[in-house]
Amino acid sequence: MTELRLHNSKTRRKEVFAPIDPDDVRMYLCGPTVYDRAHLGNARPVVVFDVLYRLLRHVYGEESVTYVRNFTDVDDKINATAKARKDAGAEGTLEQLIHERTVETIGWYHADMDALGALRPDAEPRATAYIGAMIAMIERLILSGHAYVKDGHVLFRVRSYQDYGALSGRSVDDMIAGARVEVAPFKEDPLDFVLWKPSDEELPGWNSPWGRGRPGWHIECSAMSYELLGDTFDIHGGGIDLQFPHHENEIAQSCCAHPEGSFARYWLHNEMLQVEGKKMSKSLGNFFTVRDLLDRGIPGEVIRFVFLQTHYTKPMDWTAEKAAQAEAVLRKWRGLVAGIEPAPSPAPSVIAALSDDLNTAGALAELHAMTGDPALLKASARMLGLLEDHMGDWVAPKADLTAHADHLAALRATAMQAKDFAPVDAFKAALLDAGVEVRMSKAGVELLPGVGFDPARLPPLN
C-alpha cells in the first residue's frame, strides 16, 4: 500500500500516516461560519483538504474514508445580520430570519466550492442540530471539575488540563503574561473560555441546565466530531489561524470530556493567503470573495490551479499573473485531452508527489511532463481535481481575432499620423473588457483569448 507522509502540527514533523483503522479513515475539517460569502482565504483549506480526501480515497478506497466539515450556524455575526434585517422590516421572528440567512449562505457556499471542483464531504453537520450533544459534553466537563458555572455562563478551566498549549507551542504562563484583554468578572482565570453563555430575548437560545442560552464557538466542533467520528479519529484540519485558540481549546475540552480517547491523532494546518504580496484586507482594497472572481470570469478551475501551485504549509500569493498563466496551461491541457477517455489510474509519480505531504506543486510538475500521453494526463489531473469533464464549460471555442487585430493595427497607424490615440485606447479597452489579451509592439498587434474571454462582448469593427 502507498505510504503517506504528512506534516503533523502536533509533533512539528513529517510522519508516516498510519490510520487507526484502514477500513475506516476519519477526517474532520473546521468549516465556515455562514453569515456571508466565502472570501478567497476561506477557500484555501477547502481545496487543500479536498486533495487529501481524494488521495485517501485513492489509497484506502472510497467507502473507507469519512470526511466531515461543519457549518457554524449560531454566531453573533449571524445574529447581527438577522437583527439588521428585522429592524429593516423583514417579516418573521429573529430565529426564522437567522435560519433563512444561514440556509441562503450555505447555498452560496456550496455553489462557490462546487465551482472550485471540491467534492462534497460525507457529512456537513450544522451546529444548531447538535445543541443537545454540546450540552451533554458540557455537563460531563462540569461533573469532572474541568468546567464551572458562573452568572449564567459555563467556562472551561484551562489550568485543569495540563497539556494545554502543546499544539501551538505556548505555555500557560506566557499566555497570561502576553494577555492584554479585560478579564470578565465571571472568570476564575483570564485564560478560561466560554462553553455556554446566556441569551436575552433579542438573541437565539436553547434551554439548558444553566438557563436559556447558546454555545460558545469552541464546543461546537468537539461535540460534532465526537458524535460523527468518535472520541479518537485520524486527521483534524484547518487554517493556521485556528490553531490557537480554537484548536487548542478543542483538544482540551475533548480530552477532558472523554479521557478514554485522544481526539485527533494528526493535525494539518494550511497557511494564510495574500493578494499581490499583501495581506488580504478590506482596508487595502484587495479583499474579495470567491464569487467576486467567478463573476469576473475567472473560472473555478483556474482558481484551484493557482492554489495548487503553492504547498499548503506556505503562504500563498494570489496574483492576476498567476491566474493568467494557470488559464493558459489549462486551456492547453484541455485541448490535449478533449474527447479522450482517462487512463485506468493516475501516474505513480503524481501519487508519489501527493503522498509526500501533499506536494501539489510537484504533482503539477509531473503533469507538465506527461502531455505526450493525454489519457494519463487526464487521469492524473483528476487526482488534483483538474480536467474534470463537468468543469470544462469555461473553455471558449477558439476565436479568430485576426480581423480585430487588423482593425486595431489600422487605428494605431491612423493615430500615429493624426496624433490622436483616443480611438486606439477606446478599442483596446473594449477588447480588454471582452477578456482579450492585447499585445502591441513595433512588430505589430497580437490578440489572444485571456481570462474570462467572452466572444459576445467583442467590440464591433466600425
Side-chain angles (χ1 to χ4, degrees):
M1 182 176 285
T2 303
E3 181 179 272
L4 273 61
R5 294 176 62 82
L6 301 172
H7 184 270
N8 190 349
S9 301
K10 187 176 181 179
T11 60
R12 297 170 182 76
R13 65 174 183 269
K14 193 185 295 187
E15 299 178 347
V16 174
F17 174 67
I20 300 166
D21 179 357
D23 294 325
D24 184 22
V25 182
R26 288 160 288 162
M27 177 170 71
Y28 187 93
L29 175 64
C30 287
T33 299
V34 286
Y35 67 93
D36 207 343
R37 289 279 188 184
H39 62 70
L40 194 60
N42 298 144
R44 193 181 189 195
V46 173
V47 172
V48 167
F49 289 95
D50 179 66
V51 173
L52 179 55
Y53 182 43
R54 291 169 184 268
L55 180 62
L56 292 172
R57 283 158 57 103
H58 175 79
V59 173
Y60 297 100
E62 293 184 9
E63 301 302 318
S64 298
V65 181
T66 301
Y67 173 26
V68 177
R69 184 182 67 217
N70 74 292
F71 286 117
T72 293
D73 59 345
V74 52
D75 178 85
D76 288 343
K77 290 181 180 178
I78 300 173
N79 299 341
T81 301
K83 190 174 186 306
R85 290 181 65 191
K86 187 172 179 62
D87 292 343
E91 295 182 358
T93 65
L94 188 63
E95 286 80 2
Q96 289 171 334
L97 293 174
I98 288 171
H99 180 73
E100 289 175 8
R101 179 63 172 178
T102 56
V103 168
E104 178 183 42
T105 309
I106 288 172
W108 292 344
Y109 185 83
H110 277 148
D112 293 347
M113 298 308 114
D114 288 350
L116 300 183
L119 300 173
R120 297 278 181 94
D122 299 290
E124 294 181 287
R126 293 177 58 148
T128 51
Y130 288 80
I131 299 296
M134 296 176 206
I135 291 174
M137 180 172 280
I138 293 170
E139 288 181 310
R140 291 176 66 98
L141 291 170
I142 294 173
L143 288 172
S144 60
H146 292 290
Y148 58 95
V149 183
K150 186 70 178 295
D151 296 342
H153 294 76
V154 183
L155 296 105
F156 182 85
R157 284 190 175 97
V158 166
R159 292 183 187 273
S160 72
Y161 181 60
Q162 63 179 5
D163 292 329
Y164 191 84
L167 178 69
S168 56
R170 307 176 184 217
S171 73
V172 171
D173 290 337
D174 287 344
M175 291 181 213
I176 290 291
R180 287 187 175 88
V181 295
E182 183 178 350
V183 180
F186 49 78
K187 284 189 176 185
E188 293 180 353
D189 189 293
L191 289 183
D192 294 349
F193 58 88
V194 172
L195 300 173
W196 189 265
K197 51 191 172 183
S199 292
D200 59 29
E201 293 304 317
E202 289 292 312
L203 293 169
W206 292 262
N207 293 326
S208 79
W210 322 288
R212 184 176 178 275
R214 61 200 191 278
W217 174 37
H218 309 298
I219 195 68
E220 296 176 13
C221 288
S222 287
M224 287 186 281
S225 63
Y226 175 74
E227 293 295 319
L228 294 169
L229 301 176
D231 58 35
T232 308
F233 55 94
D234 296 296
I235 299 171
H236 195 312
I240 192 65
D241 57 317
L242 298 181
Q243 187 181 57
F244 181 86
H246 185 52
H247 290 162
E248 201 74 76
N249 292 352
E250 276 190 73
I251 293 173
Q253 63 201 9
S254 294
C255 289
C256 290
H258 298 284
E260 69 279 8
S262 57
F263 199 42
R265 298 176 68 238
Y266 297 83
W267 285 83
L268 272 68
H269 291 96
N270 64 275
E271 260 291 351
M272 305 302 287
L273 177 138
Q274 299 176 330
V275 176
E276 302 289 349
K278 298 180 180 179
K279 181 180 178 181
M280 188 170 69
S281 71
K282 292 181 180 179
S283 62
L284 293 176
N286 65 353
F287 179 94
F288 43 80
T289 66
V290 173
R291 180 52 50 181
D292 289 335
L293 291 183
L294 295 173
D295 288 346
R296 291 179 199 170
I298 300 177
E301 189 174 31
V302 169
I303 298 171
R304 185 183 184 97
F305 191 103
V306 174
F307 281 177
L308 296 175
Q309 290 177 305
T310 303
H311 193 266
Y312 76 93
T313 61
K314 304 295 183 184
M316 197 215 84
D317 191 20
W318 171 271
T319 68
E321 181 180 1
K322 286 182 180 179
Q325 293 171 348
E327 179 177 1
V329 171
L330 286 168
R331 281 186 181 278
K332 175 184 175 182
W333 287 358
R334 283 203 168 272
L336 292 172
V337 305
I340 300 290
E341 286 296 316
S345 59
S349 59
V350 170
I351 299 301
L354 295 180
S355 298
D356 183 16
D357 196 26
L358 299 184
N359 182 4
T360 52
L364 288 176
E366 294 296 333
L367 295 184
H368 281 288
M370 61 182 70
T371 53
D373 189 342
L376 186 61
L377 171 62
K378 194 170 188 177
S380 302
R382 288 183 171 182
M383 275 301 302
L384 292 165
L386 301 171
L387 302 188
E388 299 279 6
D389 290 339
H390 69 275
M391 291 185 68
D393 292 345
W394 65 271
V395 181
K398 292 183 178 179
D400 184 359
L401 298 173
T402 303
H404 288 79
D406 290 344
H407 185 67
L408 182 58
L411 287 175
R412 185 171 68 163
T414 300
M416 295 289 287
Q417 296 293 325
K419 306 301 182 184
D420 178 11
F421 286 87
V424 175
D425 294 338
F427 193 73
K428 180 180 177 182
L431 289 171
L432 293 172
D433 183 62
V436 177
E437 183 180 341
V438 180
R439 299 178 181 176
M440 301 175 68
S441 65
K442 292 182 179 179
V445 173
E446 182 181 12
L447 303 182
L448 298 170
V451 175
F453 173 64
D454 182 358
R457 299 208 311 268
L458 286 172
L461 298 173
N462 51 35

